[in-house]
Amino acid sequence: MGESLLARKYIDGVYIPFALLLVGTAIVKRDWLVYSAILGVTLGSLKIFNLQPKKVLKPDEFQEFELKEKTILSHNTAIYRFALPSPNAILGLPIGQHISIGAHLPQPDGTTKEIVRSYTPISSDHDKGHFDLLIKSYPQGNISKHVASLAVGQTIRVRGPKGAFVYTPNMVRHFGMVAGGTGITPMLQVVKAIIRGRAAGDRTEVDLIFANVTEQDILLREDLDELAAKDKGFRVHYVLDKPPAGWTGGVGYVTAEMVQKWLPKPADDVKILLCGPPPMISGLKKITESLGFKKARPVSKLEDQVFAF
């Protein structure tokens, strides 16, 4: 993540002290001005290096991160905030990629087995000193149950980044996204990056279909609605399996008709992103192919027109 050397912290912490050093030396001992400049450049360079965000992730090595905060969203869903080693540290996670969480968990036969699962943070490298995970705990979910059982102060083991998808500005003209449940996390990461990039010329259009069982299951709805309200290039379409009375969004499973109505038509500069339960992804791969999109591979690659996280 690039950061301007004209940022306030560099002006206050480097350039002003350097200027004061030179002015002070010129007043007190003008002959030492060259040495003062050399000292100032050396110390300033060191300070700039120390102020740069430090990437933490290691792709081949698990590291432990402490749980600092837990925000309960529902009976089985929460946002977990984990601390990074320093206030200036960042994960170092490219937009669209994810992390692996590993834990040695007891098995029914009495043995212990290492279980590893992938998660996409809802935070980004613009958030220094911590990262946030949105996790829904399932009765059979090994890692999700493990994370839900953590108390503040306990740690998880993380490595990364991993994943075949890396977002770059204007990589396509229009994204069509379909997410189910916690499959919203990689979509939100990409949407936020696009909207952040508007000032720098990111013109990508996004239409997102977000499918859930009930209205209470819609995760991060306030965040999504706020993003859609402030950015005319992002639209979100909700679909519920069990809608309440008066519901005006989609009803049932995501259908070919919904994809045709809300998502972009097949084109070379259009990409469909999918994330959700396996049966849903399998059905959507067939639907997109029937509508003229290129057939999705069993394991998605970045260049695919239909990409499943």
Side-chain angles (χ1 to χ4, degrees):
M1 181 182 66
E3 189 173 43
S4 172
L5 290 176
L6 296 177
R8 187 82 217 175
K9 65 180 180 182
Y10 297 121
I11 293 171
D12 292 343
V14 180
Y15 308 137
I16 290 176
F18 178 65
L20 291 173
L21 176 65
L22 292 183
V23 170
T25 305
I27 293 169
V28 175
K29 191 101 174 161
R30 195 175 187 86
D31 294 349
W32 289 8
L33 204 52
V34 172
Y35 305 108
S36 178
I38 292 170
L39 177 64
V41 168
T42 303
L43 293 176
S45 299
L46 187 62
K47 187 73 178 284
I48 286 174
F49 175 77
N50 288 331
L51 286 172
Q52 293 285 323
K54 303 295 186 295
K55 294 180 180 180
V56 170
L57 280 177
K58 297 178 182 176
D60 303 317
E61 181 184 330
F62 277 110
Q63 300 177 83
E64 297 206 352
F65 299 97
E66 182 183 335
L67 178 63
K68 299 298 288 184
E69 196 179 320
K70 181 176 176 179
T71 305
I72 306 292
L73 300 183
S74 72
H75 71 284
N76 64 354
T77 308
I79 295 173
Y80 302 85
R81 173 162 291 185
F82 293 92
L84 294 173
S86 73
N88 206 40
I90 57 174
L91 264 183
L93 186 71
I95 298 298
Q97 294 206 298
H98 47 269
I99 58 174
S100 294
I101 298 178
H104 296 279
L105 301 176
Q107 301 300 300
D109 61 3
T111 61
T112 299
K113 182 180 177 184
E114 183 179 42
I115 307 294
V116 178
R117 294 288 183 269
S118 296
Y119 289 91
T120 303
I122 57 171
S123 54
S124 75
D125 284 352
H126 284 74
D127 304 295
K128 299 188 183 81
H130 69 269
F131 65 95
D132 296 339
L133 295 174
L134 170 69
I135 296 180
K136 188 171 188 174
S137 302
Y138 297 94
Q140 284 78 39
N142 289 300
I143 294 295
S144 65
K145 274 200 306 183
H146 169 67
V147 175
S149 73
L150 294 178
V152 170
Q154 291 185 297
T155 61
I156 57 166
R157 298 165 64 242
V158 171
R159 73 181 176 208
K162 59 179 292 192
F165 185 88
V166 177
Y167 177 72
T168 51
N170 297 309
M171 64 189 293
V172 293
R173 172 179 55 84
H174 200 152
F175 278 120
M177 301 176 172
V178 187
T182 52
I184 191 62
T185 56
M187 308 305 186
L188 183 61
Q189 194 189 49
V190 173
V191 168
K192 282 182 173 179
I194 289 169
I195 294 174
R196 266 199 313 271
R198 293 295 192 211
D202 197 332
R203 300 177 304 280
T204 313
E205 295 271 319
V206 182
D207 277 279
L208 163 68
I209 296 175
F210 189 17
N212 288 279
V213 179
T214 69
E215 193 167 19
Q216 290 69 41
D217 293 322
I218 303 175
L219 301 169
L220 303 172
R221 185 177 185 176
E222 283 184 14
D223 297 46
L224 291 165
D225 289 345
E226 187 180 321
L227 290 169
K230 79 174 187 181
D231 189 277
K232 66 181 189 314
F234 170 57
R235 295 159 292 275
V236 58
H237 315 276
Y238 297 107
V239 176
L240 295 179
D241 194 29
K242 297 175 181 174
W247 174 253
T248 57
V251 175
Y253 294 142
V254 178
T255 62
E257 289 72 28
M258 291 177 191
V259 172
Q260 275 188 309
K261 179 181 178 183
W262 289 322
L263 300 191
K265 303 292 181 283
D268 290 341
D269 54 0
V270 163
K271 194 184 284 283
I272 302 294
L273 303 180
L274 310 174
C275 192
M280 173 183 167
I281 299 305
S282 177
L284 283 163
K285 284 181 175 181
K286 290 175 184 151
I287 285 171
T288 51
E289 188 183 357
S290 74
L291 293 175
F293 291 93
K294 291 170 188 168
K295 184 176 181 177
R297 293 185 236 217
V299 178
S300 295
K301 295 186 182 295
L302 179 60
E303 63 269 20
D304 291 355
Q305 190 175 38
V306 177
F307 183 97
F309 287 97

